[in-house]
Amino acid sequence: MYLRPDEVARVLEKAGFEMDAVTAKTYGFRRGEDYVYVNREARLGRTALVIHPTLKERSQAITAASSDVKTCDHYVRFPMYLAGDTNDHYGIPHGFSSRMALERYLERMFG
């Protein structure tokens, strides 16, 4: 069982991220130069946290991504995904089974 999007959002706020964008599909969070999205459509939480694609390699050293990419027209702070048929932005999705696992990940990635 993965953390739901609202739980991921609470952990991000506790870690010092500030929510600065809310859409029907996402919450956008900023802390300094770092930006992440919470995928509000991730009912089961498997793709709840979406990081910038340039962080993929660094993130892989910590944990495996849920899938290669997650596209969404609401990820406006991330680059366009040019390999698909749609003109959506994309990021790298992650799911976490506990708050502690997410907190450790955030500390290692953005600490």
Side-chain angles (χ1 to χ4, degrees):
M1 189 80 176
Y2 293 97
L3 294 176
R4 293 184 321 272
D6 59 323
E7 294 172 310
V8 171
R10 282 195 292 275
V11 172
L12 285 167
E13 287 176 333
K14 183 180 168 194
F17 284 81
E18 287 185 40
M19 188 184 306
D20 72 352
V22 177
T23 73
K25 297 180 180 182
T26 67
Y27 298 128
F29 282 89
R30 167 189 306 285
R31 186 174 82 182
E33 296 296 312
D34 297 314
Y35 204 88
V36 298
Y37 285 99
V38 173
N39 173 14
R40 295 180 67 188
E41 297 179 311
R43 303 263 183 266
L44 302 177
R46 198 173 91 77
T47 60
L49 180 70
V50 183
I51 63 168
H52 196 282
T54 59
L55 299 175
K56 182 177 182 175
E57 284 186 30
R58 190 165 92 195
S59 180
Q60 284 177 329
I62 301 169
T63 190
S66 300
S67 64
D68 287 338
V69 297
K70 173 78 177 103
T71 61
C72 181
D73 57 336
H74 292 230
Y75 300 158
V76 296
R77 294 189 178 268
F78 290 178
M80 297 294 283
Y81 187 66
L82 303 176
D85 293 334
T86 61
N87 288 328
D88 288 343
H89 299 268
Y90 78 104
I92 310 302
H94 292 78
F96 295 91
S97 57
S98 72
R99 287 175 184 241
M100 187 177 292
L102 176 55
E103 288 168 355
R104 280 194 307 262
Y105 174 81
L106 294 173
E107 178 61 33
R108 291 183 68 190
M109 277 297 292
F110 304 108

